Amino acid sequence: QVQLVESGGGLVKPGGSLRLSCAASGFTFSDYYMSWIRQAPGRGLEWVSYISSSSSYTIYADSVKGRFTISRDNAKKSLYLQMNSLRAEDTAVYYCARDFGCSSTTCYIPKWFDPWGQGTLVTVSS
Amino acid sequence: DIQMTQSPSSLSASVGDRVTITCQASQDISNYLNWYQQKPGKAPKLLIYDASNLETGVPSRFSGSGSGTDFAFTISSLQPEDIATYYCQQYDNLPITFGGGTKVEIK
């Protein structure tokens, strides 16, 4: 079945770095745009970043621009999020999600997300 | 950024009740509006896309309506398994944004 599994979360000190991974299975990963979305403890959802199927197009939320980098390896069916200069406000569960609404070869904005992974918790604290 | 305002923030209803959640956008977003269900400790799940289209496999008691700035999400007959937080999400403009969520509980 279609599945996304995140890994790489953990406890990191402010200013530190972490790399999240998302392993995809059950669908042709290289056909789909992907996103990272986060949820601070007890809070709502915040979209973080988006990458095209070929990696040629990436966009970020202003809150992470210049600090986070999204990438993918289609051969490994994997999505990544490199997070640098981490802050306490980056503490959240990070979800990867497939953009199931992008049916053309070019999409400039994420549409709808299906499925989502189970999430990985990132805690930024000294 | 487009602000998405959901109401109520929480509600309590009985099994079999009709439940309606509203989502208001700060500007016209056409029908670029989706609804998700998040059960405790789980990832969100897509229920409705483009305001009124039911995702495959989602029970027909769930429905969505609206366009422009005002949208509604309805559960026609609340079931115990519908206990969750529901979120709306717009994709008319970057950054895409979510509503604050509506927590649905059983009375």
Side-chain angles (χ1 to χ4, degrees):
Chain A
Q1 74 279 21
V2 176
Q3 193 173 13
L4 298 169
V5 179
E6 301 94 337
S7 60
L11 175 63
V12 60
K13 290 182 168 54
S17 298
L18 211 55
R19 189 195 195 207
L20 305 183
S21 299
C22 169
S25 60
F27 66 100
T28 306
F29 180 71
S30 57
D31 284 350
Y32 290 91
Y33 287 47
M34 300 291 294
S35 271
W36 287 99
I37 300 155
R38 68 185 180 183
Q39 186 171 34
R43 305 294 296 274
L45 299 163
E46 179 188 16
W47 168 80
V48 172
S49 185
Y50 185 57
I51 187 168
S52 65
S53 52
S54 67
S55 302
S56 60
Y57 176 71
T58 59
I59 49 173
Y60 300 90
D62 285 346
S63 58
V64 306
K65 200 173 295 182
R67 300 187 299 122
F68 289 12
T69 302
I70 191 171
S71 63
R72 64 191 295 162
D73 185 332
N74 286 341
K76 294 183 178 179
K77 300 181 183 179
S78 292
L79 176 72
Y80 305 102
L81 186 68
Q82 177 67 44
M83 304 185 295
N84 299 331
S85 303
L86 282 161
R87 307 166 180 167
E89 54 265 35
D90 294 319
T91 294
V93 173
Y94 284 74
Y95 297 100
C96 63
R98 179 178 68 173
D99 182 355
F100 203 43
C102 178
S103 58
S104 69
T105 55
T106 304
C107 295
Y108 294 107
I109 185 167
K111 297 186 187 305
W112 54 87
F113 305 109
D114 181 38
W116 301 50
Q118 87 287 351
T120 187
L121 176 62
V122 173
T123 303
V124 184
S125 174
S126 53
Chain B
D1 297 4
I2 297 175
Q3 307 302 316
M4 306 300 294
T5 303
Q6 274 184 249
S7 61
S9 56
S10 66
L11 66 88
S12 182
S14 300
V15 172
D17 282 355
R18 182 180 183 88
V19 168
T20 297
I21 298 166
T22 63
C23 182
Q24 185 170 60
S26 59
Q27 65 188 65
D28 189 332
I29 60 169
S30 185
N31 68 328
Y32 300 146
L33 189 285
N34 309 315
W35 291 95
Y36 299 86
Q37 175 193 64
Q38 185 176 32
K39 295 185 177 180
K42 301 293 187 182
K45 174 188 174 184
L46 177 70
L47 298 182
I48 303 281
Y49 63 93
D50 279 350
S52 60
N53 293 295
L54 197 66
E55 173 66 346
T56 301
V58 173
S60 59
R61 64 180 180 274
F62 296 103
S63 65
S65 64
S67 67
T69 61
D70 295 304
F71 301 85
F73 172 81
T74 298
I75 307 173
S76 61
S77 177
L78 186 67
Q79 300 301 304
E81 61 266 32
D82 299 335
I83 299 313
T85 300
Y86 294 84
Y87 294 94
C88 60
Q89 172 239 319
Q90 68 81 20
Y91 66 96
D92 179 67
N93 211 346
L94 288 170
I96 62 155
T97 47
F98 294 84
T102 296
K103 187 174 184 179
V104 174
E105 298 175 321
I106 296 287
K107 193 181 295 183

